[in-house]
Amino acid sequence: MITHNNDSGTSSSEEVSSSDTEEAPMQVDSPAASELTQVVEFEAYPPADEDWSGVRALLDSLFQGISLDVGYFSQTLIDNYKVGTVIKGADIEEGEDDPVFAVASLLPLSLFKDKSKFNQLSSSLLAKCDNDDLASVEKVLQAKDSAFLINAKFSNLPLQITAQLYKALKMELITERKENPEYNVKNLIIFGKSYVEPEERRNKKTKLSGTNVKFQSSDLDSLSAVAINSISWKIKDETLAPVSSATCDDVWQGFRSLLVVPIEKFLKSVDKIVENLSAEV
């Protein structure tokens, strides 16, 4: 289970469980070592300046196909860590790389002070909308009570770590909403990696639509079921495979998707998401 640690390595008050680390097998995410499996111990920390490069790399992968200043977004996330966690390896020796395996955060839109950079992102997202979604997505992007929910991670991060991240997000958000009105938001804007099966794998009578887009991980499938808006865009020269505990030889055309999920529906969905992810382990 996940415990936030401070810079000294001791547990902070934002404890999710009594354990300092989560140990789990992880297949190395490298073409040269595709068959190599390592046992990795993970620790959770609040995002810090030293994590900027790792956070940026994860967000750069998540935000493919849209125009935004990823460095600015990364710094905004780090500067506003009240609801947020980065996952890193435990017991990293001095001088070794300390990669960020995952970052999860909730960022109210009001935190984005550079309006030109926010408008760049907003305009790029609206350009992906069809006529049915354009007005409602634009309204959410302009609302003061909306927030981005970021959950970016290595595709082979153990599912139990993803489950713990959701539990931590829910606990931190519930606490922060009581103490900080800025976090008392109405709708969440959630980004995710998705894919579309080849035409021969689909029913011939089924046309390509939002219902044909499937998410790389089951947590987003659950959230898509309660979303009030869903838009997707194709990523050139990218293929994705579903994330599961089983080996999957199939890879399909990569997409990115945006979901708009009411905050209360998100909070009600978290326990089920955690249950489903735990069952997949």
Side-chain angles (χ1 to χ4, degrees):
M1 299 55 165
I2 292 176
T3 302
H4 271 187
N5 290 291
N6 59 29
D7 291 338
S8 66
T10 58
S11 299
S12 74
S13 60
E14 298 177 304
E15 186 171 277
V16 178
S17 75
S18 59
S19 174
D20 286 338
T21 60
E22 177 83 9
E23 184 176 287
M26 181 172 176
Q27 185 171 322
V28 176
D29 205 359
S30 167
S34 58
E35 301 302 322
L36 179 62
T37 299
Q38 292 179 296
V39 175
V40 180
E41 290 188 355
F42 297 96
E43 286 187 334
Y45 296 86
D49 285 339
E50 66 191 43
D51 303 319
W52 184 87
S53 293
V55 169
R56 189 189 190 287
L58 290 171
L59 295 186
D60 191 52
S61 177
L62 181 64
F63 289 142
Q64 287 291 302
I66 54 177
S67 178
L68 80 160
D69 186 331
V70 181
Y72 169 73
F73 200 107
S74 302
Q75 193 61 54
T76 301
L77 184 155
I78 289 169
D79 290 342
N80 300 277
Y81 57 82
K82 294 181 176 64
V83 180
T85 299
V86 295
I87 300 297
K88 299 194 286 187
D91 301 324
I92 299 296
E93 298 293 335
E94 186 175 352
E96 289 185 344
D97 290 336
D98 193 3
V100 176
F101 292 106
V103 57
S105 181
L106 186 138
L107 295 169
L109 302 194
S110 57
L111 297 176
F112 292 84
K113 305 304 183 184
D114 189 324
K115 296 306 177 185
S116 65
K117 295 186 185 300
F118 178 79
N119 290 339
Q120 177 191 22
L121 170 59
S122 179
S123 297
S124 183
L125 291 173
L126 293 175
K128 306 294 185 183
C129 295
D130 58 25
N131 291 335
D132 293 337
D133 290 304
L134 181 60
S136 55
V137 172
E138 183 174 22
K139 184 177 180 180
V140 170
L141 286 168
Q142 293 176 348
K144 295 181 179 179
D145 56 356
S146 299
F148 290 121
L149 178 68
I150 302 300
N151 191 349
K153 54 189 179 292
F154 277 37
S155 62
N156 53 359
L157 187 76
L159 297 176
Q160 61 264 43
I161 301 298
T162 301
Q164 291 296 318
L165 280 171
Y166 272 99
K167 291 175 69 174
L169 275 173
K170 180 178 180 179
M171 292 175 61
E172 292 174 350
L173 178 56
I174 290 173
T175 299
E176 199 62 32
R177 291 176 83 191
K178 296 176 182 178
E179 301 174 355
N180 188 343
E182 196 166 30
Y183 283 81
N184 196 20
V185 298
K186 181 180 179 181
N187 289 305
L188 300 178
I189 302 165
I190 304 172
F191 297 92
K193 295 183 179 182
S194 51
Y195 62 90
V196 171
E197 294 179 342
E199 186 175 351
E200 61 268 19
R201 293 290 297 271
R202 302 197 304 268
N203 187 314
K204 294 296 183 180
K205 297 181 180 180
T206 302
K207 295 181 180 179
L208 179 59
S209 67
T211 57
N212 300 125
V213 174
K214 300 182 179 181
F215 288 90
Q216 193 182 28
S217 52
S218 63
D219 51 311
L220 292 174
D221 277 326
S222 298
L223 292 174
S224 69
V226 296
I228 57 177
N229 293 102
S230 177
I231 61 175
S232 299
W233 54 94
K234 182 178 179 179
I235 306 301
K236 184 180 179 181
D237 299 327
E238 181 184 75
T239 55
L240 293 175
V243 172
S244 71
S245 56
T247 301
C248 179
D249 294 327
D250 292 327
V251 292
W252 297 308
Q253 173 62 54
F255 278 67
R256 292 295 180 275
S257 295
L258 177 150
L259 302 174
V260 177
V261 177
I263 184 68
E264 298 304 329
K265 289 187 176 181
F266 169 78
L267 292 172
K268 290 178 181 178
S269 299
V270 168
D271 291 345
K272 186 64 175 178
I273 289 171
V274 171
E275 179 183 335
N276 289 343
L277 288 170
S278 300
E280 293 180 44
V281 174

